[in-house]
Amino acid sequence: VDYLIAIFAIVLMVLGLLVIFSVGPRVAQFENSQSGSNFSESYFFVHHAFAVVLAVIAMVIGYFLPYAKLEKISFKILGVGFALCALVWVLGKIGASGIVTCDEGACRSFHLPVIGLGFQPVEIVKIGLLLYLAWLIRERKAQKALDTKQFWLPLGIITLLIALLVAFGLKDFGSTVVLFAMIFAMIFIGGVSLKQIGIALLAGLAGAVIMIVLEPHRIERLSSFGDNYHVKNSLISLGTGGMFGVGLGNSIQSTGYLPEALSDSIFSIIGEVLGFVGAFGVVLIFALIIWRMISISRRTEDPEEKFFVVGVAAWIFAH
């Protein structure tokens, strides 16, 4: 066990629980008053705590899973991830709202009614990509075929599937960016020539421009950045917190002013209740996690595991 990474992860999880505990009741009250729902004051905290428990269980299971066995089924994991993404896309198109969760025209996750949580299959794609690409780089590097079609053909097919299923199908531009960041970090560390990386980067940028142009809401996001309601209230939230914050339980922005206070905007809420010190602390912990992963990758003798660790660091950094 790398105890530093474990400690950093636990600190972030505890911090998240504290913030949700303090803000959840206000969000519940607002939602109940606006939509007629019946959320209890502890609903969001209990919901989040359950997700944290599942995460810890997954972390323990993941620790005991032998890497060699995962590597052998990496292609299958990636395939299952893509297949589930396609299934979410199709179910969203036919309006299967009880099975998939759709928000603002995008269907990205399965709805798990028993435990009340959503599940995004793109996360399986990320894990499958990490395992398969680490194996592919190691194999082609050993065969001295890293700059040949034996390497670029399977990688090209994967990138096309990401563009088709994740970017266009699920309309998840954020995850698409993360997946490509993982790919570029791994092939750079893997030793692919800078010329070929440059060509791939240009192709990726061209694809990104096409994806932005084809989806009007993405153009709106870029053109209105810094000038829309959500961003303005995020800045107000961060500014209100000052150096040390307004304190847990005293958030104002979470009472309907800041959209998605418990998810997309949670960092702004942290800045409000814990101030610059708390917000900087969160950024610092993430930076330390990434630094620690890079340090581990340098000490790892197995090249495949080295590429895998770099991919995980890129995954977190891109988010």
Side-chain angles (χ1 to χ4, degrees):
V1 176
D2 187 275
Y3 291 103
L4 276 179
I5 287 182
I7 291 169
F8 294 148
I10 290 168
V11 169
L12 286 176
M13 286 190 287
V14 171
L15 179 64
L17 284 167
L18 280 173
V19 174
I20 299 295
F21 178 77
S22 71
V23 176
R26 290 182 172 239
V27 175
Q29 291 172 7
F30 173 75
E31 293 291 339
N32 292 343
S33 65
Q34 293 295 307
S35 60
S37 54
N38 191 30
F39 293 122
S40 68
E41 289 194 350
S42 62
Y43 172 81
F44 292 106
F45 173 75
V46 172
H47 189 266
H48 187 69
F50 184 61
V52 168
V53 170
L54 289 179
V56 172
I57 292 172
M59 181 174 67
V60 173
I61 293 173
Y63 173 74
F64 284 104
L65 285 175
Y67 182 88
K69 290 186 177 180
L70 289 174
E71 177 251 314
K72 288 180 181 178
I73 59 171
S74 60
F75 188 73
K76 293 179 180 178
I77 295 173
L78 185 59
V80 167
F82 281 133
L84 290 175
C85 285
L87 183 59
V88 169
W89 183 10
V90 171
L91 291 174
K93 284 290 185 182
I94 64 176
S97 57
I99 304 175
V100 298
T101 301
C102 300
D103 186 29
E104 298 182 2
C107 303
R108 298 171 182 165
S109 62
F110 289 104
H111 176 64
L112 307 177
V114 178
I115 59 178
L117 295 174
F119 169 70
Q120 293 189 343
V122 72
E123 301 304 321
I124 294 181
V125 173
K126 291 174 185 175
I127 295 172
L129 176 68
L130 281 169
L131 291 162
Y132 177 72
L133 187 55
W135 171 84
L136 183 66
I137 295 172
R138 186 201 67 184
E139 287 293 301
R140 297 299 177 263
K141 197 176 179 72
Q143 298 165 0
K144 301 187 183 304
L146 203 54
D147 293 328
T148 69
K149 66 179 182 180
Q150 289 178 286
F151 173 73
W152 284 105
L153 182 60
L155 182 57
I157 293 172
I158 289 171
T159 55
L160 285 174
L161 286 172
I162 291 171
L164 175 64
L165 296 174
V166 181
F168 288 105
L170 304 185
K171 298 182 180 179
D172 193 346
F173 191 60
S175 290
T176 303
V177 171
V178 171
L179 286 162
F180 280 111
M182 291 159 60
I183 290 172
F184 279 108
M186 292 173 75
I187 64 175
F188 176 76
I189 295 297
V192 174
S193 71
L194 292 178
K195 179 182 177 181
Q196 293 198 356
I197 291 177
I199 294 171
L201 185 59
L202 288 174
L205 289 173
V209 171
I210 292 171
M211 285 186 281
I212 291 172
V213 171
L214 291 178
E215 294 290 342
H217 74 277
R218 290 172 183 155
I219 298 177
E220 291 172 8
R221 277 189 178 184
L222 290 175
S223 62
S224 65
F225 189 78
D227 190 38
N228 61 32
Y229 178 83
H230 197 151
V231 174
K232 283 182 178 178
N233 277 278
S234 292
L235 294 174
I236 290 171
S237 184
L238 289 167
T240 303
M243 183 60 70
F244 300 105
V246 298
L248 296 172
N250 297 320
S251 170
I252 301 299
Q253 289 295 112
S254 62
T255 59
Y257 295 101
L258 187 58
E260 306 297 337
L262 296 181
S263 54
D264 291 4
S265 302
I266 192 64
F267 182 74
S268 298
I269 296 297
I270 290 172
E272 181 188 17
V273 299
L274 298 178
F276 174 81
V277 172
F280 178 77
V282 170
V283 175
L284 178 62
I285 293 172
F286 274 112
L288 289 171
I289 289 174
I290 294 168
W291 161 76
R292 190 63 182 170
M293 288 181 176
I294 293 172
S295 176
I296 290 170
S297 73
R298 287 175 174 172
R299 300 197 310 269
T300 302
E301 295 182 2
D302 187 303
E304 185 175 344
E305 293 178 5
K306 182 189 296 289
F307 306 145
F308 181 88
V309 175
V310 168
V312 177
W315 177 354
I316 295 174
F317 178 79
H319 273 293

